[in-house]
Amino acid sequence: MTVRVQAELFDAGAELNGFAQGRTDVGAVVSFTGVVRDTDGDLQEMQIEHYPGMTQSAIEKIVTEAMRRWDLADALVIHRYGPLKPGAPIMMVATAAAHRAAAFEAADFLMDYLKSRAPFWKKEVTSAGADWVAAKDADEDALKRW
């Protein structure tokens, strides 16, 4: 299990290759990379804040739960913080399991958690100013299924 909370850019392809390299004990590796979305065409940057120790610990706890619930062989979570431009990678989840259903479900669970419960605070900066991103009902509803 690897959890990294970092400001630095990551290469999703290189991360996935490193995660999967040499694995002969699994039949499925699933990954997802989220990018900063500019829905209105006016986003200058997304500012992501967090409390370092608290954020790392909270994500490690939920990854440990996912590994137990879906009998994962391994999991990787990377989440960035700081100012991020539209199109920049913001997070990545990868899971490895004996079978694809477990790998897909665990990855989906982790993504839902990161979207709605991980202790990050996001502020969108546009030409009109800066606004904190509010929680969305759809994200909360997605988390309820777990």
Side-chain angles (χ1 to χ4, degrees):
M1 172 181 88
T2 301
V3 173
R4 294 194 335 251
V5 180
Q6 63 188 50
E8 300 80 25
L9 181 65
F10 62 88
D11 179 329
E15 294 289 347
L16 182 58
N17 286 340
F19 178 76
Q21 187 170 3
R23 302 287 328 210
T24 60
D25 59 330
V26 299
V29 173
V30 169
S31 72
F32 173 84
T33 303
V35 298
V36 178
R37 178 179 48 227
D38 182 4
T39 54
D40 297 325
D42 191 31
L43 183 69
Q44 295 173 356
E45 70 180 18
M46 173 79 70
Q47 297 175 353
I48 302 176
E49 298 179 12
H50 75 111
Y51 293 114
M54 182 176 89
T55 303
Q56 182 80 23
S57 177
I59 296 173
E60 287 173 355
K61 182 177 177 182
I62 203 68
V63 173
T64 298
E65 180 180 338
M67 291 189 70
R68 180 189 55 76
R69 284 176 68 175
W70 284 278
D71 194 26
L72 299 179
D74 204 359
L76 167 70
V77 173
I78 303 169
H79 203 297
R80 295 179 66 202
Y81 63 89
L84 303 173
K85 298 292 184 193
I90 188 171
M91 57 78 66
M92 178 179 180
V93 168
T95 56
H99 303 285
R100 70 175 185 250
F104 273 111
E105 288 174 14
D108 206 16
F109 168 77
L110 289 169
M111 290 178 294
D112 284 343
Y113 170 81
L114 289 168
K115 185 75 173 169
S116 61
R117 288 287 189 274
F120 291 99
W121 295 269
K122 300 173 184 176
K123 186 188 297 183
E124 291 182 337
V125 179
T126 67
S127 61
D131 288 309
W132 291 103
V133 176
K136 295 182 174 94
D137 290 340
D139 294 334
E140 292 299 317
D141 290 344
L143 192 59
K144 288 177 187 174
R145 65 189 165 129
W146 305 111

